[in-house]
Amino acid sequence: MAQVSIATWLIVPALVISAVGILIWKKLHPSYVKVGTISRLFFHPVKSLKAIEVKSGKCTKIGLEVNGVLERSFLLVDKKGCKLYVNEVPTMILLTPRIDRKTLVISTPSGEELKVKIKHEISAEDKIIDICIEGKVISAVDCGDEAANFLQSFLKVSYVRLVRYFPPSPEVAFPDFAPYHILSQASIDDVNSKLDGEQISVLNFRPNIVAENCTAFAEDTWKCIKFPEGVELNNFIMTTRCVYTTNNPSTGVITLKEPINTLRKYRIPNDQTIFKKCERYKPCVGIYCGCIKLGKISVGDDIYAQVGDRPEMIVK
């Protein structure tokens, strides 16, 4: 009897320690679970212009690559070398880019076209200019007077230049913060359910990856994300939203009202650590991500993630 008691006294603590150890290990090494499916993929070769919907793309450290062209590798800048802002020139969204072999083609709604040769390296005759993007000065290649005149005529601005990014300058091309942006369709549906007037679409938010088969704002909780062909992304930060979301992608008319007014009522994080990372008291929809492992992603791919806690929001 004494032997049984001693054995029990030894085994029970061992089991407890083992269980605690397993819990700690699981917390430090969270498993991946299926969280959704890629329903749509968007590629933006020219920042602030219309997106190109694609079936697949290559994930690089700098951003999505389609037909040898990087995400947001072209940019429109003003006389000071700063990017043209959507709230100042909302009609940029009406220009439609496409990649035709080794040519970037930009079309107006009336069918006029600008063709820019896509180069894969800087040549001696290229004009290099300094531009400012998100407070950083980097070098870019000026795409020439023909491109400038075409854009100036359509946008009705006194000065504009189209410039091209070439690696390896910064770690991203011309995105605002990170090379990838993930958003769920359920999140858009949730926002639309709270709007009284005109509905919005994912195009108002300009994501790369649209997820389905998940709940609204589930992407907030995805910490590390995997795809079937080996691509891994990590969640940098929730995506803050501004008046750019009020620009109608079909008309190029910016209202400065919805959906941003509605988002301010229930999508501002109530977390000081998030405040330190992003712009305080701005609503968030979607997540910004970086690329850990390169590879291909396609529409229909399952999405796996290490899931964390859902951030608390300020409800007004």
Side-chain angles (χ1 to χ4, degrees):
M1 195 70 179
Q3 289 180 339
V4 173
S5 299
I6 292 171
T8 303
W9 182 82
L10 291 172
I11 291 171
V12 171
L15 290 174
V16 171
I17 292 170
S18 177
V20 171
I22 291 171
L23 290 173
I24 293 173
W25 189 92
K26 284 185 175 181
K27 189 170 184 179
L28 294 175
H29 303 84
S31 59
Y32 284 85
V33 295
K34 183 180 175 181
V35 293
T37 308
I38 297 178
S39 62
R40 303 175 79 179
L41 282 174
F42 291 100
F43 172 58
H44 311 82
V46 188
K47 186 176 177 67
S48 301
L49 270 57
K50 199 179 294 291
I52 301 174
E53 188 163 3
V54 297
K55 293 298 183 183
S56 62
K58 178 183 176 182
C59 288
T60 74
K61 292 285 186 181
I62 299 172
L64 197 65
E65 181 182 312
V66 177
N67 295 331
V69 179
L70 286 169
E71 171 81 3
R72 291 174 168 91
S73 54
F74 289 86
L75 174 71
L76 278 61
V77 298
D78 61 19
K79 199 168 186 176
K80 295 180 180 179
C82 299
K83 71 174 183 178
L84 287 190
Y85 285 90
V86 172
N87 57 329
E88 297 172 350
V89 192
T91 51
M92 287 190 287
I93 195 63
L94 301 180
L95 291 168
T96 303
R98 74 175 190 274
I99 308 299
D100 185 3
R101 297 184 181 182
K102 295 183 179 181
T103 304
L104 169 69
V105 182
I106 299 176
S107 304
T108 68
S110 65
E112 296 176 273
E113 291 186 344
L114 167 68
K115 295 182 178 181
V116 179
K117 183 180 179 181
I118 296 173
K119 300 179 180 180
H120 294 292
E121 58 183 15
I122 301 173
S123 59
E125 64 270 15
D126 286 328
K127 181 181 178 181
I128 311 298
I129 63 173
D130 286 338
I131 66 165
C132 182
I133 181 79
E134 303 305 321
K136 295 181 179 179
V137 177
I138 63 174
S139 296
V141 173
D142 190 309
C143 294
D145 292 338
E146 182 183 354
N149 293 335
F150 177 90
L151 296 168
Q152 185 176 327
S153 174
F154 177 77
L155 298 174
K156 303 294 190 294
V157 293
S158 59
Y159 186 97
V160 63
R161 306 298 294 188
L162 178 67
V163 299
R164 169 84 187 277
Y165 160 85
F166 281 90
S169 291
E171 294 181 357
V172 296
F174 296 135
D176 287 336
F177 184 83
Y180 297 92
H181 174 207
I182 300 178
L183 179 65
S184 71
Q185 181 60 51
S187 299
I188 299 302
D189 294 341
D190 187 86
V191 176
N192 275 326
S193 71
K194 295 174 171 55
L195 298 179
D196 293 329
E198 187 176 352
Q199 300 286 279
I200 57 167
S201 76
V202 292
L203 299 180
N204 290 73
F205 296 86
R206 300 180 67 78
N208 297 114
I209 300 170
V210 180
E212 64 179 1
N213 300 327
C214 59
T215 58
F217 309 111
E219 61 269 29
D220 294 349
T221 67
W222 301 347
K223 301 305 179 185
C224 292
I225 303 151
K226 284 185 177 180
F227 300 91
E229 294 197 33
V231 173
E232 289 188 29
L233 305 180
N234 64 318
N235 180 345
F236 280 165
I237 192 174
M238 298 172 70
T239 310
T240 54
R241 297 302 177 178
C242 63
V243 295
Y244 290 6
T245 58
T246 72
N247 189 22
N248 188 318
S250 300
T251 64
V253 175
I254 192 165
T255 66
L256 305 179
K257 295 179 181 179
E258 295 293 3
I260 196 68
N261 288 346
T262 294
L263 292 174
R264 287 173 179 146
K265 295 177 182 177
Y266 81 115
R267 285 298 302 171
I268 296 177
N270 187 25
D271 188 324
Q272 293 302 314
T273 59
I274 295 176
F275 278 160
K276 290 177 182 178
K277 291 181 180 179
C278 58
E279 297 168 272
R280 182 173 292 202
Y281 300 120
K282 276 195 173 183
C284 296
V285 179
I287 55 175
Y288 277 138
C289 297
C291 187
I292 303 171
K293 291 187 179 179
L294 316 184
K296 181 182 177 184
I297 57 173
S298 303
V299 170
D301 282 353
D302 288 333
I303 305 171
Y304 300 87
Q306 295 176 349
V307 179
D309 296 330
R310 188 177 290 267
E312 182 185 351
M313 298 290 160
I314 299 171
V315 180
K316 298 181 180 180

